[in-house]
Amino acid sequence: MKISNLLGATALAGTVLLFPGVAMAQSSDTTPPAAEQEQAEGDAITVVGSRIRRNQFNGADPIQLITKGEATAAGFNSTAEILQSAQFTGGTDQINDTYGGFVVAGGPGVNTISLRGLGTTRTLVLLNGRRVAPAGSRGSVGSADLNVLPNAMIDRIEVLNTGASSVYGSDAVAGVINIVTLQNVTGLTLEGSHQIAERGAGNTYRYSLVGGFTTGDFKVSGSLEYFSRDPVKVGDIDWASCPTAYYGTTGDYGGADFIDPRTGKAKCFPLENGGVTVNTIGTPNIGGASVAKAPGVPSGYTGICNRFRPSTGAGGFVPGYECVGGGTLSTNIRDTFDPRMLNSDVIAGTEIYTGYGQVSYTPGILGNAEFYLDLLVNRRNSEQLGHRQFTLDYPLNSPLVPASLQFGVAFLAPQAQVPYTTGIRVFSSYGNYNNYQTVDFVRLNGGVRGDLPMGWRYDFFIGKSWSDSSYTSDLILADRLAQSMQVTASGGGFVCTNPVGGCVAAPSLTPDIVAGRASSLFPSWFDFVTDPVTGTTKYRERTASFTIDGPLFDLPGGSVQVALGIEQREASIDDTPSPESVRNNLYGFTSSTPTRGSDGVWEYYGEVELPILNDQIIHNLTLNGSGRYTNYRSYGGQWTYKFGGILSPVRGVSFRGSYGTSYRAPALYEQFLGSTSGFLANTNDPCHNYNASSNPLVQARCAAEGLPGAGAFSQNSSLTVIGLGGAAAGLEAETSKALTFGGVLEPRFGEAFGNLSFAADYFRVKIDNGVSQLSAANVLAQCYSNPQRTTCDTGLITRTPYTGPGTGTLTVVQSFVNISDAKVEGIDFTLRYARQAFGGTFRLNAQTTMFISRYSRQLPTQAILELVGLLENPKWTGTFSANYQKDQFTLNYGVEWIDATDSTAYATSVSAALGPNFRYYKTPDYFLHTASVRFDMERFSLTAGVRNIFDTAPPIVSADYSNFVAGNAQLYSGYDIRGRTFYISARAGF
């Protein structure tokens, strides 16, 4: 049992207040306190979370800012690393390059962001206030890929950690991230950044050129950059190179692990943790008394043997092979490790090329109109090296099998992809295989903005994005493999009975084949049965909008500001898997069909800001409200709203808060995901031998389906599982409510004591009728074991009529439906202190989040499981930094903290076998330290530092906690995988 499969949700995160940092050359070096951050008169700007232009940053919602210089000081080398750090996410798990070998939305190599841990499709990413369209590969593309962002051109990052659908539309459920590029660039700037890991793997490199000029009415700027990351392989990491079960019996974790007879130590790569059966054959049942026995098998064992390993000189009924499994024998006696497993990637390699340009022209017409255009072009080449088992089914009585292994009895009946009776199955090793992707992303935006009478302004915008990708995997073709196994003798060798297509006969069964050396010994056959198969994904998004904003009338605190707008968006997806996948011809892999569909939306929105008072009786009182009506082709209309405000009784004390509704329209892949098919073992049918079930609900349902009782019904066929999109089932948008309130304290102590600011903000987000894909197990459980029979009559379960043994087969559909709900709740704290000291400036910053409640249920009938404090769901997270700046030098020291977690009590409640004396399901407090020094001149800067100073490894847990592990460590983005890393960044301007 994988405990993570029961948890089903990731942690939350949050930060509050405006966060200062070391700025780029084009930005100021200091940032005043949050409530006092104001722009020069007439230099009004729009900040994330509102469409109202204002002369100050602070408002009803806390906003976090970070500059590129601050990120460089912390040792980050890409925008993805910055956004996925604990500073933004509070240590919640993020999809990054450690997930290259797993199935994730957006495909391998994608990097996404999930604020508050609520999911990538519930976080909206903007570039200069405009949506960043989804990009990636395979059929589940639905989120912005952070790899496409123009790192070199970034001026600042703005983060709003609360819902804002009434301002931005769909997806802004958990929050909004706005990437703001440099707007006034003059001259050329060259920059290079290196991260060099002490272990020699996982190094990253980034080189960029930024340039621009202004002449007359034209303003032009842009960047070119190259980014590369070297892979980190399992064999590069000492703590990942020997995963064990890490089980115990009396608190001595690891004491109950299987002891490898060859080493006398706990077995590396057991079947519970990363290992697969290799160098083994499967046979019909043979009595243990008549065969040679491998070390680990009791010498007097007389039970069943049906797994054998090559052993030179071994005698008995299976000469040349020794028994390693069957009956009551441990499955770990057999070989489960191939040295090529160490070549598998833990962190995948990637290369990214990015070009970005922006130009504006102000001809002095149409209300001092500014015509603007920006273009983003990005290519990602990514690959992931993995390891795969290779099972070879030799037909019964095949001439390819030596006489000593011809038992005349079937090992396996004919299967869907092997249409013949199997006499011997070889559990071999394919070795290493590659997945590789090329993703091209283009974003072209343009428009015109200018002034209208009476202080109003307008902005007409149109943009389009293209994402085109190809994805390739080295796979085995089922029909060719089956064809190669049907042979006849010819000239001392073998030829294919059906030679169509250049068939190459399979090799005879030998110990070399069992050991996984087929590719090197028989390359022509291996090339015939394997092939790189390629699919393509296209995603398109087009947006057009018109916005006007300006003053209405005056209140005692200032002018009432209003923004009104209309927006129309169209999006489409076209994922075409390889033809071999469509026709279910990938050996050992499920089939998939094209995902194709489109959707469109019209939106009408408005926002008003009411400055009630300003230095009249009280320091400030400002209210804000917004509303939006949305109409999608797929599900119709939806209203959202939000209202909030900020109250400052006196200067230096502020209270703020907001409440609003948000929604998320189903992603295109959730609506139109192409059909996928797979299989579950026959024992997953609740009616299999249902008469022996102690659940009367199961017995009643099975009897109602016409299945015989009294032990007469046994499911003899695998269960067919079909995955589908939810459009046909009437999938609708999910809705949510968000509440945020808190306060900011900024006492004025005077220069002698320095400047202090402290903020605390409570947040709560509740999602209802969430979109979720029910697993087959849940579909079955909700029909057969739930008194409400939730899924019985929904078309998700189909059973053929029972007419005798072999009938009554079961098909289960895994479709996207509106059934889940989730809640996150917590408090964000931010502390900032700055003062003059020893001729320079000392700054201290602290950001922490305390999670109060968090849960996610796939079905509303499920009991609520509070996740706070469980593994990968820390109650507290924090980032802390201190820096001292004097003249051209800045010293930085930072600490990232993830609170201790413990799932022991929960695991024990699930099963006593997972209790505290058997499994280790807890982690200690995790601290990651970083230090750097920066030297700044007008046209030159140099930063050097060390990340993970103390080379802190991720904490380890027992093997069955999660599928996402390297060794016994969780692949959890809050923990550092690369180890101690040295970094240097240099910038030179001309």
Side-chain angles (χ1 to χ4, degrees):
M1 181 187 68
K2 301 294 185 182
I3 295 298
S4 65
N5 295 340
L6 299 175
L7 302 185
T10 54
L12 312 177
T15 50
V16 292
L17 203 59
L18 294 165
F19 192 68
V22 180
M24 298 182 64
Q26 294 87 348
S27 303
S28 63
D29 287 336
T30 59
T31 303
E36 302 302 323
Q37 287 189 352
E38 298 183 354
Q39 301 293 306
E41 189 68 30
D43 189 25
I45 63 171
T46 301
V47 182
V48 68
S50 172
R51 295 185 183 272
I52 301 289
R53 307 186 194 205
R54 54 170 66 94
N55 292 327
Q56 58 184 18
F57 282 95
N58 61 309
D61 295 314
I63 300 170
Q64 181 187 1
L65 298 183
I66 189 170
T67 64
K68 181 182 176 182
E70 181 185 9
T72 300
F76 299 122
N77 207 9
S78 70
T79 308
E81 288 182 345
I82 299 168
L83 292 176
Q84 293 175 337
S85 69
Q87 184 165 339
F88 284 105
T89 67
T92 56
D93 203 16
Q94 305 296 316
I95 301 300
N96 56 25
D97 288 303
T98 62
Y99 284 84
F102 302 97
V103 178
V104 297
V110 73
N111 279 252
T112 52
I113 182 70
S114 167
L115 292 177
R116 302 294 192 201
L118 287 173
T120 60
T121 56
R122 297 183 180 121
T123 298
L124 181 61
V125 179
L126 309 174
L127 179 61
N128 291 325
R130 311 294 187 183
R131 286 171 171 265
V132 179
S137 60
R138 303 185 184 269
S140 296
V141 174
S143 305
D145 182 3
L146 304 179
N147 290 308
V148 309
L149 297 174
N151 305 276
M153 279 292 289
I154 290 177
D155 178 44
R156 69 179 186 269
I157 301 172
E158 306 169 348
V159 179
L160 173 71
N161 260 318
T162 190
S165 287
S166 61
V167 178
Y168 295 107
S170 182
D171 307 340
V173 173
V176 183
I177 296 173
N178 185 31
I179 314 297
V180 181
T181 61
L182 296 165
Q183 297 301 305
N184 297 295
V185 180
T186 302
L188 292 175
T189 300
L190 298 175
E191 187 172 2
S193 300
H194 285 196
Q195 293 177 328
I196 307 298
E198 187 177 77
R199 62 168 49 100
N203 301 333
T204 69
Y205 314 89
R206 186 172 63 83
Y207 308 100
S208 64
L209 171 66
V210 176
F213 64 89
T214 300
T215 175
D217 299 324
F218 282 95
K219 186 167 61 175
V220 179
S221 60
S223 64
L224 295 172
E225 62 184 285
Y226 168 77
F227 174 83
S228 173
R229 175 184 288 111
D230 297 334
V232 177
K233 301 186 178 302
V234 173
D236 293 329
I237 310 174
D238 52 1
W239 49 260
S241 299
C242 181
T244 65
Y246 204 47
Y247 297 159
T249 53
T250 59
D252 179 19
Y253 301 105
D257 288 359
F258 178 80
I259 302 302
D260 191 334
R262 298 178 175 181
T263 64
K265 299 179 180 179
K267 186 170 187 175
C268 298
F269 291 94
L271 290 175
E272 298 91 343
N273 194 0
V276 293
T277 300
V278 294
N279 197 35
T280 302
I281 61 173
T283 71
N285 291 338
I286 299 171
S290 63
V291 299
K293 302 173 183 63
V297 178
S299 58
Y301 178 74
T302 59
I304 293 172
C305 282
N306 53 30
R307 301 290 189 272
F308 291 85
R309 177 172 62 202
S311 178
T312 303
F317 189 69
V318 188
Y321 290 81
E322 58 188 11
C323 171
V324 291
T328 59
L329 297 175
S330 169
T331 54
N332 275 317
I333 295 174
R334 64 194 71 166
D335 290 346
T336 58
F337 170 68
D338 178 350
R340 290 171 289 186
M341 291 178 178
L342 299 179
N343 296 329
S344 299
D345 290 338
V346 178
I347 298 178
T350 188
E351 280 190 327
I352 301 173
Y353 304 85
T354 306
Y356 180 77
Q358 53 192 22
V359 58
S360 66
Y361 173 54
T362 308
I365 61 174
L366 299 177
N368 196 31
E370 178 188 17
F371 294 85
Y372 58 89
L373 183 73
D374 64 78
L375 174 65
L376 172 63
V377 180
N378 175 274
R379 164 166 283 194
R380 166 167 59 91
N381 295 321
S382 51
E383 63 177 311
Q384 305 82 34
L385 194 69
H387 178 274
R388 177 186 302 145
Q389 184 189 55
F390 192 0
T391 58
L392 292 169
D393 289 338
Y394 282 84
L396 183 65
N397 301 321
S398 170
L400 296 172
V401 178
S404 59
L405 300 178
Q406 295 276 7
F407 303 113
V409 179
F411 175 64
L412 290 172
Q415 304 172 73
Q417 291 185 313
V418 182
Y420 52 77
T421 300
T422 300
I424 296 289
R425 167 169 282 186
V426 174
F427 296 92
S428 187
S429 172
Y430 180 100
N432 294 120
Y433 70 97
N434 237 341
N435 290 316
Y436 36 100
Q437 310 82 35
T438 296
V439 182
D440 291 322
F441 180 81
V442 178
R443 180 181 189 258
L444 178 62
N445 290 338
V448 56
R449 54 191 167 221
D451 297 328
L452 294 171
M454 303 179 66
W456 282 67
R457 286 163 288 193
Y458 68 91
D459 190 343
F460 173 73
F461 165 84
I462 187 167
K464 187 167 183 178
S465 296
W466 299 261
S467 174
D468 291 88
S469 67
S470 63
Y471 52 95
T472 304
S473 297
D474 299 328
L475 297 174
I476 305 163
L477 304 184
D479 59 351
R480 292 189 186 180
L481 181 61
Q483 182 185 3
S484 74
M485 285 292 179
Q486 303 288 342
V487 302
T488 56
S490 175
F494 300 96
V495 295
C496 297
T497 304
N498 177 15
V500 174
C503 178
V504 178
S508 299
L509 197 165
T510 66
D512 279 331
I513 298 300
V514 179
R517 290 188 277 271
S519 60
S520 59
L521 295 177
F522 303 95
S524 59
W525 170 76
F526 196 78
D527 288 344
F528 173 71
V529 300
T530 63
D531 210 22
V533 297
T534 300
T536 60
T537 307
K538 298 179 180 180
Y539 196 100
R540 303 287 185 266
E541 186 169 283
R542 177 181 59 80
T543 303
S545 67
F546 180 74
T547 304
I548 60 172
D549 70 277
L552 278 183
F553 53 86
D554 290 339
L555 289 176
S559 296
V560 174
Q561 298 290 323
V562 172
L564 302 171
I566 182 173
E567 184 171 307
Q568 199 273 332
R569 294 194 307 275
E570 292 282 337
S572 65
I573 188 172
D574 182 347
D575 176 68
T576 305
S578 71
E580 304 296 346
S581 178
V582 173
R583 68 188 186 97
N584 195 23
N585 193 39
L586 301 180
Y587 186 65
F589 283 76
T590 60
S591 68
S592 56
T593 57
T595 297
R596 295 185 179 126
S598 63
D599 205 354
V601 59
W602 281 92
E603 298 185 291
Y604 312 88
Y605 53 87
E607 182 181 2
V608 60
E609 185 158 285
L610 306 171
I612 307 298
L613 295 172
N614 185 21
D615 286 329
Q616 297 157 321
I617 304 175
I618 61 175
H619 177 56
N620 181 39
L621 172 60
T622 302
L623 303 179
N624 181 278
S626 58
R628 175 179 294 251
Y629 179 73
T630 299
N631 193 288
Y632 271 88
R633 282 202 308 267
S634 59
Y635 71 89
Q638 179 84 37
W639 275 102
T640 55
Y641 64 87
K642 184 176 182 179
F643 57 86
I646 181 168
L647 167 66
S648 299
V650 295
R651 185 181 295 270
V653 178
S654 299
F655 301 96
R656 60 192 178 190
S658 68
Y659 176 82
T661 61
S662 288
Y663 73 98
R664 184 178 73 85
L668 293 181
Y669 75 87
E670 291 171 330
Q671 297 185 62
F672 306 111
L673 184 68
S675 174
T676 61
S677 65
F679 303 94
L680 289 175
N682 63 315
T683 53
N684 287 279
D685 185 345
C687 295
H688 176 67
N689 297 328
Y690 74 90
N691 195 60
S693 173
S694 60
N695 190 334
L697 293 171
V698 172
Q699 292 182 346
R701 177 65 192 180
C702 296
E705 292 180 355
L707 301 177
F713 177 74
S714 293
Q715 182 57 267
N716 297 321
S717 302
S718 299
L719 278 63
T720 300
V721 179
I722 299 174
L724 291 173
L731 191 65
E732 297 180 350
E734 60 184 33
T735 60
S736 65
K737 297 180 178 65
L739 171 66
T740 301
F741 64 84
V744 182
L745 178 64
E746 295 175 305
R748 293 177 173 268
F749 294 129
E751 185 174 334
F753 294 95
N755 296 320
L756 173 71
S757 63
F758 173 76
D761 289 270
Y762 168 85
F763 62 86
R764 185 184 70 197
V765 180
K766 177 67 168 65
I767 298 172
D768 296 306
N769 55 285
V771 176
S772 180
Q773 186 180 34
L774 276 178
S775 67
N778 257 326
V779 171
L780 293 171
Q782 292 303 309
C783 175
Y784 289 88
S785 300
N786 186 336
Q788 299 175 0
R789 308 292 190 194
T790 310
T791 59
C792 284
D793 301 317
T794 59
L796 301 178
I797 298 174
T798 304
R799 187 183 296 276
T800 62
Y802 179 81
T803 58
T807 62
T809 59
L810 196 61
T811 298
V812 185
V813 175
Q814 299 181 148
S815 179
F816 286 94
V817 290
N818 295 96
I819 51 171
S820 70
D821 64 347
K823 187 185 81 168
V824 298
E825 182 182 11
I827 303 175
D828 295 325
F829 301 94
T830 295
L831 173 70
R832 186 174 78 89
Y833 176 73
R835 66 161 296 173
Q836 301 297 311
F838 306 106
T841 303
F842 171 77
R843 297 184 181 90
L844 177 66
N845 302 285
Q847 296 174 288
T848 62
T849 298
M850 180 186 72
F851 302 113
I852 298 172
S853 174
R854 177 170 55 259
Y855 67 81
S856 177
R857 295 186 296 177
Q858 193 174 48
L859 288 165
T861 54
Q862 292 176 329
I864 291 177
L865 170 63
E866 280 290 352
L867 300 173
V868 175
L870 301 184
L871 288 172
E872 298 184 2
N873 293 276
K875 181 174 183 177
W876 286 91
T877 62
T879 59
F880 311 89
S881 67
N883 71 68
Y884 179 74
Q885 181 180 356
K886 183 177 182 181
D887 300 326
Q888 288 82 28
F889 289 92
T890 304
L891 303 177
N892 297 277
Y893 194 92
V895 178
E896 299 170 25
W897 167 51
I898 297 176
D899 193 16
T901 61
D902 192 343
S903 292
T904 305
Y906 167 69
T908 304
S909 70
V910 174
S911 170
L914 302 176
N917 294 330
F918 299 91
R919 304 289 191 270
Y920 193 83
Y921 293 142
K922 56 186 177 181
T923 63
D925 288 88
Y926 179 86
F927 296 94
L928 190 146
H929 298 257
T930 300
S932 68
V933 59
R934 181 182 178 97
F935 174 74
D936 266 306
M937 295 181 66
E938 182 179 356
R939 296 186 178 276
F940 176 80
S941 69
L942 179 68
T943 302
V946 183
R947 183 166 175 81
N948 197 351
I949 295 174
F950 301 106
D951 199 23
T952 305
I956 63 173
V957 296
S958 292
D960 55 358
Y961 167 71
S962 172
N963 291 314
F964 305 110
V965 294
N968 286 86
Q970 307 159 66
L971 288 179
Y972 176 53
S973 61
Y975 300 141
D976 181 56
I977 301 295
R978 290 188 294 172
R980 185 183 294 117
T981 301
F982 303 91
Y983 57 92
I984 185 169
S985 176
R987 175 187 57 82
F990 304 93

